[in-house]
């Protein structure tokens, strides 16, 4: 048996000999080309002092493992996320299988038990679990009873649906062609779901354009300022007329008081002038006596 997944003989050999490397390659096999994914375990081993160990990865500081994944060239398009997922996988293997990844399938008694174990691994959904079991059965000769049924349709022979069917350049090309067809079918289904969303957007924006109708009443505000301009002159006009009315009486008062004073003074002096007449008569009477 010789795998043909990474495009590198040394990396493929590691996948054949190290169950942990095979599991890590399966975890990384999403959203990137399969060669990139399955070369990842070999690259990671070189960055971890040429040793892949479940216990070592499980006990590593998370930041250190992320740095190993993110160093250029990165082991994945999303290195931090995948580093956390691989560490979770290593911890699961330590807790459930003593760090020995091969016990997942060497100690399983039925296909259902094998499926449940693989499905419980961090980073493995239902489809990935089926593909991995198909890979074990087709490429590694794992003959757990019922594995073909639990891995269907990927466990069926004569198909080219997944990495389980790749054993050379020709089968690799057929698997890629199948994936392209699957992606094309998915793209055709996508526009039908987006069409309703595009129609709803204009319907919501149309009422918002009628808002200027609310601004028209605000322009009539100048009508309130007109009365204010007329009231101001009305209050100032009376103030100007009252000032001259008060000053006119003040000028006539002095003339009225001075006129009586001038007439009374001569009257008193006239009486004083008649006194000498009385004195002459007295003198005459005294002389005749």
């Amino acid at each position: 048996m010789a795998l043909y997944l990474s495009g590198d003989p040394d990396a493929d050999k590691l996948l054949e000999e190290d169950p942990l490397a095979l599991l890590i390659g399966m975890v990384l096999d999403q959203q990137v080309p399969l060669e990139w994914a399955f070369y990842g375990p070999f690259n990671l081993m070189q960055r971890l002092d040429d040793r892949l160990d479940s216990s070592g990865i499980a006990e590593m500081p998370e930041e250190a493992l992320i740095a190993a994944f993110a160093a250029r060239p990165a082991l994945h398009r999303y290195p931090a996320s995948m580093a956390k997922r691989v560490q979770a996988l290593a911890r699961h293997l330590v807790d459930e299988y003593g760090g020995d990844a091969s016990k997942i399938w060497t100690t399983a008694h039925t296909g259902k038990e094998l499926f449940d174990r693989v499905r419980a691994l961090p980073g493995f959904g239902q489809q990935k679990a089926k593909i991995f079991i198909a890979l074990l059965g087709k490429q590694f000769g794992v003959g757990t009873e019922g594995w073909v049924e639990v891995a269907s349709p990927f466990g069926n022979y004569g198909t080219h649906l997944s990495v389980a069917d790749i054993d050379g350049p020709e089968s690799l090309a057929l698997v890629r062609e199948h994936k392209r067809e699957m992606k094309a079918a998915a793209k055709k289904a996508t526009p039908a779901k987006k069409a309703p969303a595009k129609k709803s957007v204009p319907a919501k924006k149309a009422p918002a354009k009628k808002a200027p109708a609310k601004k028209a009443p605000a322009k009539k505000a100048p009508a309130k300022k007109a009365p204010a301009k007329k009231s101001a002159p009305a209050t100032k006009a009376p103030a100007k007329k009252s000032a001259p009315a008060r000053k006119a009486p003040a000028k006539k008062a002095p003339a009225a008081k001075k006129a009586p004073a001038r007439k009374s003074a001569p009257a008193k002096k006239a009486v004083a002038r008649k006194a000498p007449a009385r004195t002459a008569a007295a003198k005459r009477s005294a002389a005749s006596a």
Side-chain angles (χ1 to χ4, degrees), residues 63-77:
E63 295 78 7
L65 188 58
I66 291 175
F69 268 75
R72 295 185 178 182
L75 302 187
H76 196 273
R77 182 176 298 170

Side-chain angles (χ1 to χ4, degrees), residues 40-241:
F42 181 76
N43 205 347
L44 178 62
M45 182 187 68
Q46 292 179 322
R47 297 177 184 185
L48 299 181
D49 299 326
D50 293 326
R51 184 168 179 265
L52 279 183
D53 177 68
S54 297
S55 299
I57 294 175
E59 295 172 1
M60 280 184 69
E62 183 179 277
E63 295 78 7
L65 188 58
I66 291 175
F69 268 75
R72 295 185 178 182
L75 302 187
H76 196 273
R77 182 176 298 170
Y78 306 105
S81 176
M82 287 301 164
K84 295 176 183 179
R85 195 165 295 178
V86 168
Q87 188 167 54
L89 172 66
R91 289 171 178 170
H92 181 84
L93 294 175
V94 171
D95 294 340
E96 299 296 330
Y97 304 101
D100 185 355
S102 66
K103 287 184 178 180
I104 296 173
W105 52 89
T106 58
T107 61
H109 297 91
T110 64
K112 183 180 182 308
E113 183 181 4
L114 176 58
F115 176 81
D116 291 341
R117 289 182 177 187
V118 176
R119 179 67 180 82
L121 296 174
F124 281 74
Q126 181 172 343
Q127 179 170 300
K128 182 168 288 193
K130 289 184 175 184
I131 292 173
F132 184 68
I133 293 173
L135 177 63
L136 292 176
K138 292 180 176 180
Q139 303 281 0
F140 289 86
V142 175
T144 307
E145 183 180 357
W147 74 266
V148 175
E149 289 76 15
V150 297
S152 179
F154 305 101
N156 300 335
Y157 285 95
T159 61
H160 295 91
L161 306 177
S162 69
V163 296
D165 302 309
I166 299 174
D167 55 10
E170 293 181 0
S171 57
L172 173 60
L174 291 173
V175 169
R176 280 186 168 154
E177 179 61 28
H178 171 73
K179 288 186 176 182
R180 280 193 292 268
E181 292 174 357
M182 296 297 291
K183 288 181 180 179
K187 287 181 180 179
K188 288 181 180 179
T190 303
K193 295 180 181 179
K194 291 182 178 179
K198 289 180 180 179
K199 291 181 180 179
S200 62
V201 174
K204 293 180 180 178
K205 289 182 179 179
K209 291 180 180 179
K210 294 180 180 179
K214 296 181 180 179
K215 293 181 180 179
K219 292 180 181 179
K220 295 180 180 179
K224 296 181 180 179
K225 293 181 180 180
K229 291 179 181 179
K230 293 180 180 180
S231 62
T235 53
K236 291 180 181 180
K240 291 179 181 179
K241 292 179 180 180

